[in-house]
Amino acid sequence: DVKVTQSSRYLVKRTGEKVFLECVQDMDHENMFWYRQDPGLGLRLIYFSYDVKMKEKGDIPEGYSVSREKKERFSLILESASTNQTSMYLCASSLWGTGANVLTFGAGSRLTVL
Amino acid sequence: TQLLEQSPQFLSIQEGENLTVYCNSSSVFSSLQWYRQEPGEGPVLLVTVVTGGEVKKLKRLTFQFGDARKDSSLHITAAQPGDTGLYLCAPNRPSGSARQLTFGSGTQLTVLP
C-alpha cells in the first residue's frame, strides 16, 4: 500500500523556535507538496517540489522554507515560528505527468505555536 | 482571481437520508477531483471527473461534472455514519504545472446514527 508518512502528528512549539516538519513517501513520486489547512480556508499550497533540489513557491510561502535533498523526503521549515502558523500541515505527493495530478496525502501534522 | 465555492459549508443529517453537496466556480477546469477527509487523517481521493456532463458512481455516491466544466455535485444516497467527513473538491487548472490543483474549503458532513 502506497504511503506518505509525516513523522510528527502533533507538535507544540514556542514563538521564535525553529520547526522542522518531515515527510517521506515510498511511491517514487516526483512531485511533493506542503499544504496548510485552516477552518473555512481549505487547503492552501505553501511550497511544492517537482524534483530533487527543485522547489517552487505556492500561494502562501511567506515564513516557510523547504528542503528536498532526496526524492522520497520533503521537509518544511519554519525558521522562526509565530502564533499565526498554528495549523494543520499536510504533505502530499503525486506522479509527474499524470494529467489529473492525483495527490496522496499524509495524515497531517498539527502544529501549535504558543 | 478564480472563485471556488463549496456548499453547504456544514451539513448534519440522520442516517438513511439523501444529500447533495456542490462545488461551483466561475472558471472552466480540465478535470475535477473529489476527496474525503476523515477526522485525524489526510484527504483521500474518491473520484476524478474529466468530461463535461460526466456522471460517475461509487457505491452510494454519485458524482457529476457540469456540462460547462465549471461545477460539480456529489449526491449521497442513504447516508451512513461512515460517510461522515470533510468533502473537498479540487479542480485542475489547465496550467500544465505540477501545482495544478486548487482546493475548495469543503463541506463538513456529519451523519448521525
Side-chain angles (χ1 to χ4, degrees):
Chain A
D1 198 14
V2 295
K3 261 194 155 175
V4 176
T5 303
Q6 294 183 232
S7 55
S8 302
R9 293 296 302 269
Y10 300 95
L11 300 97
V12 179
K13 298 291 182 180
R14 297 216 171 264
T15 301
E17 282 192 79
K18 191 169 186 175
V19 182
F20 291 88
L21 299 179
E22 303 286 341
C23 175
V24 177
Q25 52 97 1
D26 64 1
M27 297 166 282
D28 203 33
H29 283 175
E30 289 85 1
N31 302 323
M32 295 189 75
F33 305 81
W34 275 106
Y35 291 86
R36 65 176 282 177
Q37 183 176 29
D38 301 287
L41 296 177
L43 275 68
R44 293 180 291 167
L45 182 63
I46 304 171
Y47 267 97
F48 72 100
S49 168
Y50 52 88
D51 201 353
V52 175
K53 297 191 186 293
M54 306 300 285
K55 61 185 179 184
E56 282 198 29
K57 293 180 180 179
D59 298 315
I60 51 163
E62 296 79 18
Y64 303 94
S65 62
V66 290
S67 172
R68 191 155 182 213
E69 296 296 318
K70 294 185 178 181
K71 189 175 185 180
E72 66 270 18
R73 187 179 297 270
F74 193 36
S75 303
L76 181 69
I77 303 152
L78 288 68
E79 291 289 341
S80 177
S82 62
T83 54
N84 64 12
Q85 292 178 310
T86 291
S87 187
M88 169 69 89
Y89 290 88
L90 290 164
C91 175
S93 70
S94 73
L95 275 174
W96 177 254
T98 52
N101 198 28
V102 172
L103 299 183
T104 301
F105 284 89
S109 298
R110 184 166 292 282
L111 172 66
T112 301
V113 183
L114 302 174
Chain B
T1 303
Q2 59 190 19
L3 293 175
L4 184 62
E5 282 191 30
Q6 286 193 247
S7 62
Q9 192 175 358
F10 299 97
L11 186 58
S12 181
I13 61 170
Q14 293 293 136
E15 182 176 0
E17 291 184 15
N18 301 333
L19 67 113
T20 302
V21 299
Y22 301 92
C23 175
N24 295 293
S25 175
S26 55
S27 301
V28 176
F29 298 108
S30 56
S31 63
L32 185 144
Q33 297 165 20
W34 284 93
Y35 290 79
R36 178 170 66 209
Q37 184 177 19
E38 297 182 11
E41 300 296 328
V44 175
L45 179 73
L46 294 173
V47 77
T48 301
V49 287
V50 178
T51 307
E54 182 177 3
V55 176
K56 279 193 174 178
K57 292 196 173 185
L58 186 66
K59 297 184 181 177
R60 293 175 293 100
L61 279 60
T62 301
F63 303 84
Q64 183 160 10
F65 200 15
D67 290 340
R69 290 185 288 123
K70 292 184 178 182
D71 54 83
S72 181
S73 64
L74 159 58
H75 181 80
I76 302 179
T77 304
Q80 303 292 314
D83 296 327
T84 292
L86 179 67
Y87 288 81
L88 296 159
C89 71
N92 274 271
R93 309 170 192 170
S95 68
S97 162
R99 58 166 294 180
Q100 294 175 73
L101 282 181
T102 55
F103 282 87
S105 56
T107 293
Q108 181 64 54
L109 172 66
T110 303
V111 182
L112 303 169

